[in-house]
Amino acid sequence: MNPSSYSETALLDFLQRGQSDINPLLSSYFPEEDVAIPLYQAVRYSLFAGGKYLRSNLCLAACASVGGMREAALPFAAALELVHTYSLVHDDLPAMDNDDLRRGRPTNHKVYGEATAILVGDALLTEAFTLIAQKGVASGVAPETVIKAICELGEGAGLNGMVLGQFLDMLSEKKITMNEKEMAIVHQNKTGALIVAAVRIGAMVGNATPEQMLHLTEYAKRIGLAFQIADDILDVSGEEKELGKKVGQDQAQKKWTYPRLIGLEKSIDLANQLSEEAIDALDGLGENADHLRWIACFAVKRKK
């Protein structure tokens, strides 16, 4: 495999395999037999709504890229999916982005109510760290690596990462002007921080060398920004049926996005440039990193 032979079908098969491997582990924390409990119903409604499992698959692919064992990375990948789902549930709330649709279905708060949706997010975030603590060492990962992974996830998801990005995104709605540096800071935190954490955690579990970790971190930073720019583009030019959510929401809420700031064509060019730079950052990692290269292509070529 290499970027020039990129096939979206093959890449989606890889992502689907990750989902199939991760879902049983997720289900064990929120068992189907407990769906009589309304909170469990609400958690499972969002957790098993589909999606690309991009962050969890990045963790698996990063581990494989440095010769690590896929099975060892599965608990960490599952935890990343819990954190990502929590972020979507909370982002959709009326106090945040106020979205009615997610993955082609009514958002969690539209079905279960705003208070329950908040608790769903709280539960998903909390269980993510419980899952790593319980299953990380059991999967054969050294305790000190598990602790490093927990810190990495907390950094990517927390006050200096994804939470900060969401806050800056809300603040930007009130700004009359923005520049590219400010825009990049918002995106690098809101979307990029958890993607960087996913790649770095996978690399940690795979016992990456310092040099490999440096290359993988540079890769992750670039695809994190490229992925969010692509999201901005799809909100302008995407199809609601494919996206599973309403388009034009950013413009309706007067959000600052790359298309608004530099125009659609320049945004497309920038996303492609970042994807290419991400692939270049993997030079020296060999064929084991091909799935990471394909994900970099997918980040900007996807339709949803």
Side-chain angles (χ1 to χ4, degrees):
M1 290 185 298
N2 58 63
S4 63
S5 64
Y6 166 75
S7 160
E8 185 166 324
T9 300
L11 191 276
L12 290 175
D13 286 344
F14 169 77
L15 297 179
Q16 181 60 49
R17 179 192 169 202
Q19 182 175 347
S20 298
D21 288 344
I22 290 163
N23 274 349
L25 189 51
L26 296 177
S27 193
S28 71
Y29 276 77
F30 301 98
E32 192 170 4
E33 57 267 26
D34 287 335
V35 293
I37 303 172
L39 184 59
Y40 273 69
Q41 291 178 7
V43 167
R44 290 183 63 91
Y45 178 82
S46 291
L47 188 57
F48 299 109
K52 295 175 283 293
Y53 281 47
L54 182 82
R55 290 149 189 83
S56 46
N57 272 295
L58 277 168
C59 178
L60 298 177
C63 182
S65 76
V66 295
M69 298 296 293
R70 179 183 178 86
E71 293 74 17
L74 283 173
F76 303 88
L80 283 154
E81 195 58 33
L82 291 176
V83 173
H84 177 56
T85 305
Y86 126 75
S87 74
L88 299 181
V89 172
H90 278 193
D91 282 357
D92 290 337
L93 288 167
M96 298 287 185
D97 291 346
N98 195 24
D99 281 322
D100 297 337
L101 285 176
R102 171 72 65 179
R103 294 171 176 167
R105 305 195 301 174
T107 47
N108 197 289
H109 69 273
K110 285 291 181 180
V111 178
Y112 295 99
E114 194 172 339
T116 297
I118 292 171
L119 293 174
V120 165
D122 294 344
L124 288 164
L125 178 61
T126 306
E127 290 300 325
F129 291 96
T130 304
L131 195 159
I132 289 181
Q134 289 182 345
K135 301 292 186 182
V137 176
S139 69
V141 179
E144 57 268 26
T145 302
V146 173
I147 292 170
K148 287 180 182 178
I150 288 172
C151 291
E152 192 76 35
L153 182 58
E155 184 76 12
L159 185 60
N160 295 311
M162 187 170 62
V163 171
L164 174 62
Q166 179 68 6
F167 179 73
L168 293 175
D169 191 40
M170 292 190 301
L171 282 185
S172 73
E173 295 176 30
K174 301 175 183 178
K175 289 191 172 185
I176 298 174
T177 61
M178 283 276 281
N179 59 51
E180 283 192 60
K181 183 178 180 181
E182 291 171 324
M183 189 87 263
I185 290 171
V186 173
H187 282 3
Q188 285 164 352
N189 284 283
K190 182 180 178 181
T191 301
L194 192 61
I195 285 176
V196 171
V199 172
R200 286 178 57 84
I201 289 169
M204 288 175 187
V205 173
N207 295 313
T209 65
E211 184 179 359
Q212 288 172 329
M213 183 65 80
L214 181 64
H215 286 294
L216 287 165
T217 301
E218 290 304 311
Y219 161 87
K221 286 179 179 178
R222 282 159 176 78
I223 68 153
L225 184 53
F227 192 86
Q228 183 57 53
I229 294 172
D231 262 3
D232 290 352
I233 292 166
L234 287 171
D235 189 69
V236 175
S237 60
E239 296 289 336
E240 185 173 318
K241 185 176 180 180
E242 283 194 88
L243 289 172
K245 60 182 180 180
K246 291 181 179 179
V247 296
Q249 288 291 87
D250 292 338
Q251 184 177 359
Q253 295 174 7
K254 297 182 178 179
K255 283 193 172 188
W256 281 101
T257 64
Y258 271 90
R260 181 182 174 188
L261 185 65
I262 63 174
L264 184 59
E265 291 303 317
K266 286 186 178 179
S267 297
I268 293 170
D269 290 343
L270 179 57
N272 287 328
Q273 177 188 329
L274 287 163
S275 174
E276 291 169 6
E277 289 175 359
I279 292 168
D280 289 343
L282 299 176
D283 284 352
L285 287 178
E287 292 183 0
N288 284 344
D290 275 344
H291 279 119
L292 290 176
R293 296 182 179 98
W294 280 28
I295 291 173
C297 293
F298 173 74
V300 296
K301 293 179 183 292
R302 62 196 170 91
K303 303 297 182 183
K304 59 182 179 178

